[in-house]
Amino acid sequence: MRRIIPVLLCLSLSLNACARTGSRDPLRGSEYVLGTICTISLLDGGSEAVLEAVFARLREIEARMSANRDGTEIAAVNDAAGKSPVRVSADTLYVVRKALEYARLSDGAFDPTIGPVVKLWNIGLEGERVPEAREIKETLPLVDWRSVVLDERSSTVFLRRAGMRLDLGAIAKGYAADETARILGERRVRAAVVDLGGNVLVYGKKTDGSPWRVGVQNPFGDRGTYLGIVSMGAGTVVTSGIYERFFEQDGKRYHHILDTRTGRPVESDLVSVTVIAPSSIDADGLSTTLFALGRERGLALVKTLPGVEAVYVDDRRRLYFSAGASKIFSLTDKGFTPAE
Ligand code: ADP
Ligand code: MG
Protein backbone atom coordinates (compact mmCIF):
# COMPACT_ATOMS: atom_id res chain seq x y z
CA MET A 1 0.00 0.00 0.00
CA ARG A 2 2.90 2.37 -0.24
CA ARG A 3 3.11 4.28 -3.40
CA ILE A 4 3.08 7.83 -4.61
CA ILE A 5 1.59 7.68 -8.04
CA PRO A 6 -0.40 10.37 -9.77
CA VAL A 7 1.46 13.53 -9.08
CA LEU A 8 -0.17 16.71 -8.04
CA LEU A 9 0.65 19.31 -10.56
CA CYS A 10 -1.85 21.64 -9.11
CA LEU A 11 0.18 22.10 -6.01
CA SER A 12 3.13 23.93 -7.40
CA LEU A 13 1.45 25.42 -10.45
CA SER A 14 -1.73 26.78 -9.15
CA LEU A 15 -1.33 27.41 -5.50
CA ASN A 16 -1.82 31.08 -6.10
CA ALA A 17 -4.85 30.42 -8.20
CA CYS A 18 -6.40 28.06 -5.71
CA ALA A 19 -5.08 29.58 -2.52
CA ARG A 20 -7.18 29.50 0.58
CA THR A 21 -9.28 32.55 1.11
CA GLY A 22 -7.55 34.94 3.45
CA SER A 23 -4.19 33.18 3.45
CA ARG A 24 -1.41 32.75 0.98
CA ASP A 25 -0.40 29.15 1.45
CA PRO A 26 -2.43 25.99 1.54
CA LEU A 27 -2.65 24.32 4.88
CA ARG A 28 -0.95 20.98 4.48
CA GLY A 29 -0.47 17.93 6.65
CA SER A 30 1.48 14.73 5.98
CA GLU A 31 1.58 11.56 7.98
CA TYR A 32 2.70 7.96 7.50
CA VAL A 33 -0.49 5.98 7.85
CA LEU A 34 -2.19 3.14 5.92
CA GLY A 35 1.28 1.95 4.97
CA THR A 36 2.09 5.04 2.97
CA ILE A 37 2.68 8.78 3.12
CA CYS A 38 -0.66 10.55 3.21
CA THR A 39 -0.79 14.26 2.42
CA ILE A 40 -3.83 16.50 2.74
CA SER A 41 -3.69 20.01 1.26
CA LEU A 42 -6.48 22.39 2.14
CA LEU A 43 -6.66 24.99 -0.61
CA ASP A 44 -9.83 26.84 0.29
CA GLY A 45 -11.33 26.69 3.78
CA GLY A 46 -10.43 24.42 6.68
CA SER A 47 -8.02 24.58 9.59
CA GLU A 48 -5.44 22.58 11.54
CA ALA A 49 -8.34 21.00 13.41
CA VAL A 50 -9.73 19.67 10.12
CA LEU A 51 -6.38 18.11 9.28
CA GLU A 52 -6.23 16.52 12.71
CA ALA A 53 -9.76 15.12 12.31
CA VAL A 54 -8.82 13.62 8.94
CA PHE A 55 -5.63 11.97 10.21
CA ALA A 56 -7.43 10.61 13.27
CA ARG A 57 -9.93 9.01 10.90
CA LEU A 58 -7.17 7.55 8.69
CA ARG A 59 -5.51 6.04 11.76
CA GLU A 60 -8.85 4.59 12.81
CA ILE A 61 -9.40 2.98 9.41
CA GLU A 62 -5.90 1.48 9.55
CA ALA A 63 -6.51 0.20 13.08
CA ARG A 64 -9.64 -1.55 11.85
CA MET A 65 -8.59 -2.90 8.47
CA SER A 66 -4.87 -3.59 8.30
CA ALA A 67 -4.06 -7.23 7.59
CA ASN A 68 -0.44 -6.73 8.66
CA ARG A 69 -1.07 -5.57 12.19
CA ASP A 70 -2.25 -7.41 15.26
CA GLY A 71 -5.40 -6.27 16.96
CA THR A 72 -7.30 -5.08 13.89
CA GLU A 73 -10.78 -6.27 12.99
CA ILE A 74 -9.41 -7.97 9.91
CA ALA A 75 -6.79 -9.78 12.00
CA ALA A 76 -9.59 -10.99 14.28
CA VAL A 77 -11.66 -12.19 11.30
CA ASN A 78 -8.59 -14.01 9.94
CA ASP A 79 -7.79 -15.59 13.30
CA ALA A 80 -11.35 -16.88 13.56
CA ALA A 81 -11.36 -18.37 10.04
CA GLY A 82 -13.07 -21.75 10.04
CA LYS A 83 -14.28 -21.16 13.58
CA SER A 84 -16.69 -18.31 14.11
CA PRO A 85 -18.08 -15.07 12.72
CA VAL A 86 -16.51 -11.88 14.10
CA ARG A 87 -18.36 -8.66 14.76
CA VAL A 88 -16.85 -5.71 12.88
CA SER A 89 -17.48 -1.97 12.54
CA ALA A 90 -19.75 -0.57 9.85
CA ASP A 91 -16.55 0.64 8.13
CA THR A 92 -15.05 -2.80 7.76
CA LEU A 93 -18.36 -4.39 6.82
CA TYR A 94 -18.79 -1.86 4.02
CA VAL A 95 -15.27 -2.29 2.65
CA VAL A 96 -15.54 -6.09 2.69
CA ARG A 97 -18.90 -5.82 0.92
CA LYS A 98 -17.37 -3.57 -1.77
CA ALA A 99 -14.41 -5.92 -2.16
CA LEU A 100 -16.78 -8.84 -2.71
CA GLU A 101 -18.62 -6.73 -5.29
CA TYR A 102 -15.39 -6.39 -7.30
CA ALA A 103 -14.68 -10.09 -6.86
CA ARG A 104 -18.07 -10.87 -8.36
CA LEU A 105 -17.68 -8.30 -11.13
CA SER A 106 -14.30 -9.73 -12.15
CA ASP A 107 -15.28 -13.36 -11.61
CA GLY A 108 -12.60 -13.67 -8.96
CA ALA A 109 -9.69 -11.94 -10.73
CA PHE A 110 -9.98 -9.49 -7.85
CA ASP A 111 -10.28 -11.45 -4.63
CA PRO A 112 -10.00 -10.03 -1.09
CA THR A 113 -9.24 -13.52 0.23
CA ILE A 114 -5.87 -13.39 -1.56
CA GLY A 115 -4.31 -12.96 1.93
CA PRO A 116 -2.62 -16.39 2.31
CA VAL A 117 -0.90 -15.98 -1.06
CA VAL A 118 0.16 -12.40 -0.26
CA LYS A 119 1.73 -13.77 2.92
CA LEU A 120 3.60 -16.49 1.02
CA TRP A 121 5.33 -13.92 -1.18
CA ASN A 122 5.67 -11.05 1.31
CA ILE A 123 6.42 -8.73 -1.59
CA GLY A 124 7.77 -5.39 -0.41
CA LEU A 125 8.11 -6.71 3.13
CA GLU A 126 10.74 -8.51 5.11
CA GLY A 127 11.08 -12.13 4.04
CA GLU A 128 9.99 -11.59 0.44
CA ARG A 129 10.76 -14.67 -1.66
CA VAL A 130 9.58 -16.84 -4.52
CA PRO A 131 7.54 -19.60 -2.88
CA GLU A 132 7.85 -23.25 -3.89
CA ALA A 133 5.28 -24.41 -6.44
CA ARG A 134 4.03 -26.86 -3.83
CA GLU A 135 3.35 -24.09 -1.30
CA ILE A 136 1.39 -22.12 -3.85
CA LYS A 137 -0.63 -25.18 -4.80
CA GLU A 138 -1.48 -25.85 -1.18
CA THR A 139 -2.44 -22.24 -0.52
CA LEU A 140 -4.52 -21.45 -3.59
CA PRO A 141 -7.67 -23.33 -2.51
CA LEU A 142 -7.91 -20.88 0.40
CA VAL A 143 -8.44 -18.04 -2.07
CA ASP A 144 -12.18 -18.12 -2.49
CA TRP A 145 -14.30 -15.00 -2.13
CA ARG A 146 -17.45 -17.13 -2.21
CA SER A 147 -16.48 -18.53 1.19
CA VAL A 148 -16.77 -15.13 2.84
CA VAL A 149 -20.03 -14.85 4.74
CA LEU A 150 -21.25 -11.33 5.48
CA ASP A 151 -24.11 -10.88 7.88
CA GLU A 152 -25.40 -7.33 7.61
CA ARG A 153 -27.87 -7.71 10.47
CA SER A 154 -25.35 -8.81 13.07
CA SER A 155 -22.48 -6.93 11.36
CA THR A 156 -20.25 -9.98 11.24
CA VAL A 157 -17.75 -11.45 8.80
CA PHE A 158 -16.99 -15.16 8.69
CA LEU A 159 -14.38 -17.00 6.64
CA ARG A 160 -15.64 -20.52 6.10
CA ARG A 161 -12.30 -22.31 6.08
CA ALA A 162 -9.40 -22.33 8.52
CA GLY A 163 -6.36 -20.66 6.98
CA MET A 164 -8.35 -18.17 4.90
CA ARG A 165 -7.22 -14.54 5.25
CA LEU A 166 -8.77 -11.29 4.08
CA ASP A 167 -6.43 -8.65 2.64
CA LEU A 168 -8.04 -5.30 1.88
CA GLY A 169 -4.78 -3.74 0.64
CA ALA A 170 -6.22 -3.22 -2.81
CA ILE A 171 -9.19 -1.17 -1.68
CA ALA A 172 -8.84 0.26 1.87
CA LYS A 173 -6.96 3.39 0.81
CA GLY A 174 -9.77 4.24 -1.58
CA TYR A 175 -12.25 4.04 1.25
CA ALA A 176 -9.98 6.21 3.37
CA ALA A 177 -9.89 8.85 0.62
CA ASP A 178 -13.69 8.84 0.38
CA GLU A 179 -13.95 9.21 4.14
CA THR A 180 -11.54 12.13 3.97
CA ALA A 181 -13.79 13.80 1.40
CA ARG A 182 -16.79 13.24 3.66
CA ILE A 183 -15.05 14.94 6.58
CA LEU A 184 -13.96 17.85 4.36
CA GLY A 185 -17.61 18.29 3.36
CA GLU A 186 -18.81 18.26 6.97
CA ARG A 187 -16.20 20.85 7.87
CA ARG A 188 -17.14 23.13 5.00
CA VAL A 189 -13.82 22.92 3.20
CA ARG A 190 -14.27 24.25 -0.33
CA ALA A 191 -11.21 22.90 -2.13
CA ALA A 192 -8.60 20.31 -1.20
CA VAL A 193 -6.23 17.72 -2.58
CA VAL A 194 -5.98 14.35 -0.84
CA ASP A 195 -3.01 12.15 -1.72
CA LEU A 196 -2.91 8.81 0.03
CA GLY A 197 0.29 7.36 -1.39
CA GLY A 198 -0.66 8.04 -4.98
CA ASN A 199 -4.35 7.45 -4.46
CA VAL A 200 -5.38 11.00 -5.36
CA LEU A 201 -8.69 12.70 -4.72
CA VAL A 202 -9.44 16.27 -5.72
CA TYR A 203 -12.19 17.81 -3.66
CA GLY A 204 -14.50 20.74 -4.36
CA LYS A 205 -13.79 23.54 -6.80
CA LYS A 206 -10.69 25.60 -7.38
CA THR A 207 -11.36 29.26 -6.66
CA ASP A 208 -10.53 30.31 -10.22
CA GLY A 209 -13.07 27.80 -11.54
CA SER A 210 -10.53 25.96 -13.69
CA PRO A 211 -10.52 22.15 -13.78
CA TRP A 212 -8.26 20.16 -11.52
CA ARG A 213 -5.16 18.82 -13.19
CA VAL A 214 -3.83 15.54 -11.86
CA GLY A 215 -0.60 14.03 -13.19
CA VAL A 216 -0.40 10.34 -14.04
CA GLN A 217 2.85 8.73 -12.88
CA ASN A 218 5.32 7.64 -15.54
CA PRO A 219 5.70 3.97 -14.60
CA PHE A 220 9.24 3.92 -16.00
CA GLY A 221 10.34 7.19 -14.41
CA ASP A 222 11.24 8.33 -10.95
CA ARG A 223 8.50 8.86 -8.49
CA GLY A 224 6.88 12.19 -9.25
CA THR A 225 7.56 12.19 -12.99
CA TYR A 226 4.37 12.05 -14.99
CA LEU A 227 3.47 10.97 -18.49
CA GLY A 228 0.31 13.00 -18.85
CA ILE A 229 -2.35 15.04 -17.13
CA VAL A 230 -5.99 14.36 -16.40
CA SER A 231 -8.25 17.45 -16.36
CA MET A 232 -11.28 16.85 -14.25
CA GLY A 233 -13.91 18.06 -11.80
CA ALA A 234 -14.01 16.69 -8.27
CA GLY A 235 -13.13 13.00 -8.28
CA THR A 236 -10.31 10.59 -7.93
CA VAL A 237 -7.37 9.13 -9.86
CA VAL A 238 -5.84 5.84 -8.77
CA THR A 239 -3.05 3.82 -10.40
CA SER A 240 -2.02 0.21 -9.94
CA GLY A 241 1.25 -0.90 -11.42
CA ILE A 242 4.07 -3.36 -11.32
CA TYR A 243 6.72 -0.77 -10.56
CA GLU A 244 5.98 0.32 -7.04
CA ARG A 245 6.19 -2.81 -5.00
CA PHE A 246 8.30 -5.65 -6.32
CA PHE A 247 11.54 -7.54 -5.94
CA GLU A 248 13.87 -9.05 -8.47
CA GLN A 249 15.46 -12.46 -8.49
CA ASP A 250 17.49 -14.08 -11.27
CA GLY A 251 16.63 -11.19 -13.55
CA LYS A 252 12.90 -11.60 -13.10
CA ARG A 253 10.60 -9.07 -11.53
CA TYR A 254 7.98 -10.19 -9.04
CA HIS A 255 5.35 -7.52 -8.42
CA HIS A 256 2.48 -7.34 -5.96
CA ILE A 257 -0.66 -7.78 -8.05
CA LEU A 258 -1.35 -11.47 -7.93
CA ASP A 259 -3.13 -13.75 -10.35
CA THR A 260 -5.77 -15.60 -8.35
CA ARG A 261 -5.57 -18.56 -10.73
CA THR A 262 -1.81 -19.14 -10.47
CA GLY A 263 -0.94 -17.58 -7.11
CA ARG A 264 1.88 -15.72 -8.88
CA PRO A 265 2.27 -12.09 -9.99
CA VAL A 266 -0.02 -11.32 -12.96
CA GLU A 267 1.91 -11.99 -16.17
CA SER A 268 1.12 -9.61 -19.00
CA ASP A 269 2.64 -6.82 -21.05
CA LEU A 270 0.95 -4.27 -18.78
CA VAL A 271 2.93 -1.89 -16.65
CA SER A 272 0.14 0.14 -15.08
CA VAL A 273 -3.49 1.07 -15.23
CA THR A 274 -4.94 4.36 -14.04
CA VAL A 275 -8.59 4.69 -13.12
CA ILE A 276 -10.53 7.97 -12.98
CA ALA A 277 -13.84 7.76 -11.10
CA PRO A 278 -16.14 9.75 -8.83
CA SER A 279 -15.51 7.56 -5.78
CA SER A 280 -12.12 6.46 -4.58
CA ILE A 281 -13.09 3.06 -3.21
CA ASP A 282 -14.35 2.24 -6.70
CA ALA A 283 -11.23 3.64 -8.37
CA ASP A 284 -8.96 1.71 -6.00
CA GLY A 285 -10.89 -1.54 -6.26
CA LEU A 286 -11.03 -1.14 -10.01
CA SER A 287 -7.38 -0.26 -10.54
CA THR A 288 -6.36 -3.62 -9.10
CA THR A 289 -9.26 -5.39 -10.82
CA LEU A 290 -8.47 -3.90 -14.23
CA PHE A 291 -4.80 -4.79 -13.90
CA ALA A 292 -5.67 -8.37 -13.03
CA LEU A 293 -8.26 -8.65 -15.83
CA GLY A 294 -5.92 -7.37 -18.51
CA ARG A 295 -6.57 -4.78 -21.18
CA GLU A 296 -9.36 -6.29 -23.23
CA ARG A 297 -11.52 -7.63 -20.46
CA GLY A 298 -10.73 -4.57 -18.36
CA LEU A 299 -11.79 -2.03 -20.99
CA ALA A 300 -14.94 -4.06 -21.68
CA LEU A 301 -15.78 -3.85 -17.97
CA VAL A 302 -15.13 -0.09 -17.83
CA LYS A 303 -17.64 0.38 -20.67
CA THR A 304 -20.37 -0.91 -18.38
CA LEU A 305 -19.50 1.45 -15.51
CA PRO A 306 -20.90 5.00 -15.82
CA GLY A 307 -18.49 7.78 -14.85
CA VAL A 308 -15.44 5.48 -14.83
CA GLU A 309 -12.51 5.91 -17.22
CA ALA A 310 -9.21 4.06 -17.52
CA VAL A 311 -5.78 4.39 -19.13
CA TYR A 312 -3.60 1.31 -19.57
CA VAL A 313 0.17 1.54 -20.16
CA ASP A 314 2.06 -1.42 -21.63
CA ASP A 315 5.75 -2.30 -21.63
CA ARG A 316 6.22 -0.75 -25.07
CA ARG A 317 5.04 2.59 -23.73
CA ARG A 318 1.77 2.44 -25.56
CA LEU A 319 -1.38 3.90 -24.03
CA TYR A 320 -4.87 2.46 -24.28
CA PHE A 321 -7.87 4.57 -23.32
CA SER A 322 -11.47 3.93 -22.41
CA ALA A 323 -13.90 5.94 -24.55
CA GLY A 324 -14.04 8.99 -22.28
CA ALA A 325 -10.46 8.90 -21.04
CA SER A 326 -8.86 10.20 -24.22
CA LYS A 327 -11.00 13.34 -23.91
CA ILE A 328 -9.77 14.29 -20.45
CA PHE A 329 -6.18 13.07 -20.72
CA SER A 330 -3.36 15.04 -22.30
CA LEU A 331 -0.08 13.37 -23.05
CA THR A 332 2.94 15.37 -21.92
CA ASP A 333 5.72 12.79 -22.33
CA LYS A 334 6.37 12.14 -26.01
CA GLY A 335 8.14 8.89 -25.15
CA PHE A 336 4.67 7.36 -24.90
CA THR A 337 2.29 6.81 -27.80
CA PRO A 338 -1.45 6.34 -27.87
CA ALA A 339 -2.23 2.94 -29.43
CA GLU A 340 -4.89 2.47 -32.16
P1 ADP B 1 -1.29 -0.32 -3.89
O1 ADP B 1 -1.57 -1.08 -2.65
O2 ADP B 1 0.15 -0.22 -4.23
O3 ADP B 1 -2.00 0.97 -3.94
P2 ADP B 1 -3.24 -1.86 -5.35
O4 ADP B 1 -4.38 -1.01 -5.00
O5 ADP B 1 -3.20 -2.35 -6.74
O6 ADP B 1 -1.86 -1.18 -5.09
O7 ADP B 1 -3.28 -3.10 -4.37
C1 ADP B 1 -2.31 -4.11 -4.37
C2 ADP B 1 -2.50 -4.93 -3.13
O8 ADP B 1 -3.72 -5.66 -3.22
C3 ADP B 1 -1.45 -6.01 -2.92
O9 ADP B 1 -0.36 -5.52 -2.18
C4 ADP B 1 -2.22 -7.08 -2.17
O10 ADP B 1 -2.31 -6.74 -0.79
C5 ADP B 1 -3.59 -6.98 -2.76
N1 ADP B 1 -3.80 -7.84 -3.96
C6 ADP B 1 -2.88 -8.39 -4.79
N2 ADP B 1 -3.46 -9.10 -5.77
C7 ADP B 1 -4.81 -8.99 -5.57
C8 ADP B 1 -5.95 -9.51 -6.24
N3 ADP B 1 -5.85 -10.28 -7.35
N4 ADP B 1 -7.16 -9.21 -5.73
C9 ADP B 1 -7.30 -8.44 -4.62
N5 ADP B 1 -6.26 -7.93 -3.95
C10 ADP B 1 -5.02 -8.19 -4.41
MG1 MG C 1 -6.31 -0.87 -5.87
Side-chain angles (χ1 to χ4, degrees):
M1 294 216 287
R2 51 193 154 86
R3 181 165 32 90
I4 312 273
I5 297 192
V7 199
L8 292 167
L9 305 166
C10 165
L11 291 188
S12 53
L13 295 179
S14 37
L15 279 188
N16 296 331
C18 47
R20 296 162 65 239
T21 342
S23 76
R24 268 177 319 183
D25 297 321
L27 198 51
R28 186 174 303 164
S30 265
E31 199 173 302
Y32 189 86
V33 58
L34 294 163
T36 191
I37 301 279
C38 297
T39 303
I40 317 294
S41 306
L42 305 180
L43 307 179
D44 187 3
S47 62
E48 287 287 352
V50 173
L51 290 178
E52 188 35 55
V54 168
F55 284 113
R57 181 72 175 121
L58 299 184
R59 289 190 291 265
E60 179 176 58
I61 291 170
E62 176 176 6
R64 289 179 172 164
M65 296 183 208
S66 172
N68 307 318
R69 264 174 59 174
D70 290 338
T72 70
E73 294 176 355
I74 291 302
V77 169
N78 292 344
D79 287 344
K83 290 184 240 158
S84 56
V86 171
R87 204 178 153 78
V88 298
S89 60
D91 278 339
T92 301
L93 198 73
Y94 172 74
V95 175
V96 173
R97 192 192 324 127
K98 288 294 280 189
L100 294 175
E101 203 178 294
Y102 283 109
R104 183 180 305 279
L105 212 55
S106 65
D107 199 17
F110 181 98
D111 192 326
T113 66
I114 193 79
V117 184
V118 170
K119 259 196 117 52
L120 265 190
W121 288 85
N122 269 316
I123 296 172
L125 301 171
E126 225 172 286
E128 58 190 10
R129 68 186 178 101
V130 181
E132 307 279 337
R134 175 188 51 81
E135 294 172 285
I136 294 177
K137 203 168 153 224
E138 284 168 6
T139 308
L140 264 182
L142 295 169
V143 178
D144 177 17
W145 62 275
R146 288 187 172 85
S147 294
V148 181
V149 184
L150 269 196
D151 188 332
E152 301 279 344
R153 280 253 216 86
S154 56
S155 192
T156 58
V157 181
F158 176 49
L159 306 179
R160 281 206 182 100
R161 278 152 46 214
M164 285 181 71
R165 288 180 65 89
L166 283 173
D167 180 327
L168 300 178
I171 191 166
K173 267 187 302 179
Y175 178 65
D178 288 338
E179 279 300 289
T180 300
R182 189 181 58 74
I183 293 170
L184 298 178
E186 275 174 15
R187 303 292 190 110
R188 306 255 183 278
V189 171
R190 289 174 294 274
V193 175
V194 177
D195 181 350
L196 309 186
N199 206 313
V200 175
L201 180 145
V202 282
Y203 178 85
K205 269 206 173 98
K206 285 163 64 182
T207 44
D208 67 356
S210 65
W212 293 103
R213 290 154 57 80
V214 181
V216 176
Q217 171 73 36
N218 173 350
F220 302 98
D222 289 338
R223 187 172 279 201
T225 58
Y226 52 90
L227 61 88
I229 298 166
V230 176
S231 294
M232 60 193 285
T236 183
V237 178
V238 178
T239 302
S240 280
I242 67 166
Y243 53 90
E244 184 57 30
R245 221 164 125 175
F246 64 85
F247 68 97
E248 274 168 1
Q249 190 176 302
D250 303 327
K252 199 168 154 47
R253 176 180 292 204
Y254 298 94
H255 64 83
H256 73 148
I257 303 173
L258 301 168
D259 186 327
T260 52
R261 294 164 305 184
T262 63
R264 304 173 63 83
V266 171
E267 293 217 28
S268 70
D269 62 355
L270 296 175
V271 183
S272 68
V273 57
T274 296
V275 176
I276 303 119
S279 114
S280 203
I281 192 167
D282 289 327
D284 197 9
L286 275 171
S287 68
T288 312
T289 301
L290 295 188
F291 195 95
L293 281 178
R295 188 159 51 81
E296 266 170 39
R297 289 174 68 202
L299 287 176
L301 174 60
V302 169
K303 246 189 207 162
T304 69
L305 304 171
V308 176
E309 303 297 345
V311 182
Y312 277 96
V313 181
D314 75 9
D315 57 8
R316 293 166 63 190
R317 297 176 192 247
R318 289 176 306 194
L319 306 175
Y320 301 83
F321 300 97
S322 63
S326 45
K327 299 190 188 101
I328 55 175
F329 177 88
S330 37
L331 185 63
T332 52
D333 185 330
K334 297 294 184 285
F336 291 80
T337 45
E340 287 145 351

